[in-house]
Amino acid sequence: MFMNIEALQYFCEIAEEKSISKVAKKSHISQSALSQLIQKMEESLGQALLKRSNKGVELTEMGKIVLKYSENILINYDKMLEAMDELDHNNAKIRINATWSLVTYSLPCVLYRIKQKFPKYGYELVSSSNQDTLRDVQNDICDFGIIDQKPKEDCSMNVHKIGTERYVLVASESYNVKEQIDFEELFSLQLIWSTSNHNVKQLLENRLRQQCKTISDLNIIFEIDNIGAIKSSINNGFGAAFLPYVAVKRDLYLKNMKIIDVKDLDLTYELYLVSKKMDSVSKEARDTIEYFKQIGQKSFC
């Protein structure tokens, strides 16, 4: 069986556009040539991947499986070319995945110190969910990652706790709310919910169960998937929100926000560095990981 990278790239584009003709036009090739390329791919796999009609194309069930793995294959292909280029030019690049809040607020300072230690290494810091980071580590798409939940046991993975963080309930300084409230008062407070912070949901649910309540019992006025937009809403006095302390500590210092202390509520979580086993990563990645462990959370911004 033989399948070229070009066919996979075209297949992914067709799946996105739902049209062979659109992809052919955009790629400046004939529609018949592109159709033949996809047909050869289907013949090679022995499966129909697309349902064709006058309205365009859609994926078959087999096509959905091929799309899922094609995306990973193409990412790894690009990584392979990148690694070859780095070796050819003697310029190693290490990719690090982490949660959005860590990438935005905490890790740039750590990366600055690491770069001073290893000036010849290149670094790329990418925001990613915990699940995607673990997948990227396993598929060699990133060299290591920082996640905010302890992963399941995996003998192929190296897991190292690097510190703890916490979520805090914050509101604007002018917002009419006491700086300390009982847990029961939390249910009457107007909340702006972050859909990107899945960890806080789990931590809160554990505490809410003790009161025989769920997240739906909270007075959530709207949900946002961007911390910057949530902070803007808080500053406009729309309500309060649970956010990582690292994301608001500057706002607290400047007195743009205040912490609302909720009695009997601890939203502390642990941070973990995850990678493949040390004998499976490059020397540059090993150097970086070992130094990261040394300087750890004390170097966060």
Side-chain angles (χ1 to χ4, degrees):
M1 179 188 296
F2 175 77
M3 192 186 314
N4 62 44
I5 291 295
E6 184 182 38
L8 286 178
Q9 290 171 328
Y10 281 132
F11 174 73
C12 290
E13 290 178 30
I14 290 168
E16 183 178 352
E17 294 284 353
K18 295 182 172 58
S19 169
I20 293 176
S21 60
K22 285 183 181 179
V23 174
K25 184 176 180 181
K26 183 172 68 174
S27 303
H28 305 292
I29 61 174
S30 70
Q31 183 174 340
S32 61
L34 182 54
S35 294
Q36 288 174 24
L37 186 65
I38 298 303
Q39 284 173 1
K40 287 180 181 178
M41 181 175 168
E42 291 177 314
E43 289 169 6
S44 175
L45 293 170
Q47 298 287 344
L49 305 180
L50 299 173
K51 296 176 185 175
R52 297 161 174 82
S53 70
N54 293 332
K55 296 180 180 179
V57 297
E58 60 181 84
L59 294 173
T60 64
E61 291 305 311
M62 287 295 183
K64 292 175 183 177
I65 293 174
V66 172
L67 177 65
K68 174 184 174 182
Y69 288 97
S70 293
E71 290 169 343
N72 279 336
I73 291 169
L74 292 172
I75 290 171
N76 277 302
Y77 177 74
D78 288 340
K79 288 290 291 181
M80 179 191 73
L81 295 180
E82 186 179 300
M84 291 172 67
D85 182 66
E86 288 164 4
L87 180 61
D88 191 39
H89 293 87
N90 195 27
N91 181 30
K93 180 185 282 187
I94 295 101
R95 171 170 157 160
I96 306 163
N97 282 23
T99 61
W100 187 89
S101 59
L102 288 172
V103 167
T104 306
Y105 299 104
S106 298
L107 292 181
C109 292
V110 184
L111 205 55
Y112 178 76
R113 287 192 60 184
I114 291 173
K115 181 65 177 178
Q116 288 183 310
K117 177 75 171 177
F118 305 110
K120 292 185 179 180
Y121 298 170
Y123 292 98
E124 181 183 7
L125 192 55
V126 179
S127 60
S128 175
S129 67
N130 289 339
Q131 182 179 355
D132 287 347
T133 292
L134 290 171
R135 180 204 64 197
D136 286 356
V137 168
Q138 290 168 336
N139 291 330
D140 296 313
I141 294 169
C142 73
D143 294 278
F144 68 93
I146 311 297
I147 60 176
D148 57 16
Q149 284 181 319
K150 189 173 184 178
K152 295 178 181 178
E153 292 289 335
D154 185 337
C155 61
S156 68
M157 298 280 285
N158 183 52
V159 179
H160 178 81
K161 180 182 171 182
I162 59 170
T164 59
E165 257 301 346
R166 63 188 175 114
Y167 288 98
V168 289
L169 181 62
V170 291
S172 70
E173 274 285 350
S174 60
Y175 195 68
N176 185 22
V177 61
K178 296 181 293 184
E179 292 193 9
Q180 187 179 67
I181 61 175
D182 293 325
F183 188 78
E184 291 73 20
E185 294 178 87
L186 180 62
F187 299 95
S188 59
L189 199 63
Q190 287 190 325
L191 295 176
I192 303 158
W193 190 255
S194 170
T195 56
S196 61
N197 289 335
H198 303 292
N199 203 13
V200 72
K201 181 179 179 182
Q202 183 176 332
L203 292 168
L204 259 179
E205 283 177 337
N206 293 339
R207 179 64 180 85
L208 288 167
R209 272 195 292 269
Q210 298 173 21
Q211 303 289 115
C212 298
K213 293 185 180 292
T214 66
I215 296 291
S216 60
D217 292 308
L218 297 171
N219 182 23
I220 298 172
I221 56 174
F222 52 79
E223 301 179 1
I224 306 178
D225 68 353
N226 181 280
I227 292 179
I230 292 174
K231 290 168 68 174
S232 177
S233 298
I234 290 171
N235 290 328
N236 282 315
F238 298 157
F242 288 101
L243 291 175
Y245 176 74
V246 295
V248 296
K249 63 180 181 180
R250 179 172 174 77
D251 300 273
L252 295 169
Y253 175 77
L254 295 174
K255 299 191 180 300
N256 296 326
M257 295 183 189
K258 61 186 175 184
I259 292 178
I260 305 167
D261 180 32
V262 183
K263 293 179 184 177
D264 303 318
L265 182 62
D266 179 18
L267 297 178
T268 301
Y269 58 95
E270 297 175 333
L271 300 173
Y272 295 91
L273 186 154
V274 293
S275 70
K276 283 194 169 180
K277 295 297 184 181
M278 289 297 97
D279 58 359
S280 299
V281 300
S282 67
K283 177 187 180 300
E284 295 82 6
R286 284 199 304 274
D287 291 343
T288 302
I289 289 168
E290 292 304 324
Y291 189 58
F292 197 116
K293 289 179 182 178
Q294 288 178 35
I295 61 177
Q297 191 174 16
K298 62 187 178 185
S299 298
F300 283 7
C301 295

